[in-house]
Amino acid sequence: MNDNCIFCKIANGIIPSATIYEDADFRAILDIAPAHKGHTIILPKQHAANLFEIDEETAGKLLPVAKKVAGAVKKVTGCDGINILQNNGEAAGQTVFHLHVHVVPRFEGDGILPVWPQGSYADGEAAELAAKIKAEL
Ligand code: 5GP
Ligand code: ZN
């Protein structure tokens, strides 16, 4: 746990929160400034700034928790869809540097999230880039 990290304190129960789920590894809480009511964030109890720092075992447990939480949020809010979002780095919109996964209820036509522009690849460019990325795995 990082003493200077607010999400470490919330995840480990030192700062109280509107908790909707807790297990040995995670706490899921209502976001304080929700995109829609029911917007939840899932926090690992162990500090990791982002996806690049989290250990594989904890990372592997995260999606099943997101699935469970998303199902409950969908049932209670009656939303039409759910976004699972996870921001890494300031450029990607991360503002709290303790990894967290957003579970955002969505309603038809709510327009609350930007849709990215649809780019394209020149002939052969996608294959070349795919090979470069693949070589780093
Ligand atoms: P990020 O932009 O880093 O992906 O998301 C940070 C999220 O944490 C934001 O949606 C923000 O509203 C939420 N947040 C920041 N501080 C607190 C807090 O003290 N309590 C809760 N419940 N949510 C917080
Ligand atoms: Zn932390």
Side-chain angles (χ1 to χ4, degrees), residues 32-100:
I32 203 167
H36 283 298
K37 288 176 184 171
H39 176 173
T40 296
I41 45 180
I42 304 167
L43 320 175
K45 292 186 174 179
Q46 205 172 48
H47 182 81
N50 53 44
L51 189 64
F52 306 110
E53 286 190 6
I54 192 171
D55 66 86
E56 297 274 319
E57 194 189 340
T58 310
K61 291 176 181 169
L62 198 41
L63 198 56
V65 173
K67 177 179 160 73
K68 199 191 292 266
V69 166
V73 167
K74 189 167 190 308
K75 216 169 180 177
V76 170
T77 63
C79 64
D80 302 309
I82 295 261
N83 286 116
I84 303 293
L85 297 171
Q86 194 271 312
N87 300 327
N88 296 285
E90 228 173 304
Q94 187 175 11
T95 59
V96 180
F97 296 92
H98 174 125
L99 181 143
H100 51 280

Side-chain angles (χ1 to χ4, degrees), residues 110-135:
D110 66 11
I112 61 163
L113 282 170
V115 175
W116 51 78
Q118 292 195 299
S120 60
Y121 290 106
D123 270 358
E125 195 183 355
E128 195 184 316
L129 182 58
K132 263 192 202 164
I133 296 170
K134 191 176 171 190

Side-chain angles (χ1 to χ4, degrees), residues 9-30:
K9 290 179 184 157
I10 293 174
N12 290 284
I14 293 157
I15 296 176
S17 60
T19 295
I20 66 164
Y21 174 83
E22 184 181 5
D23 65 21
D25 301 299
F26 304 101
R27 181 186 297 269
I29 65 172
L30 292 183

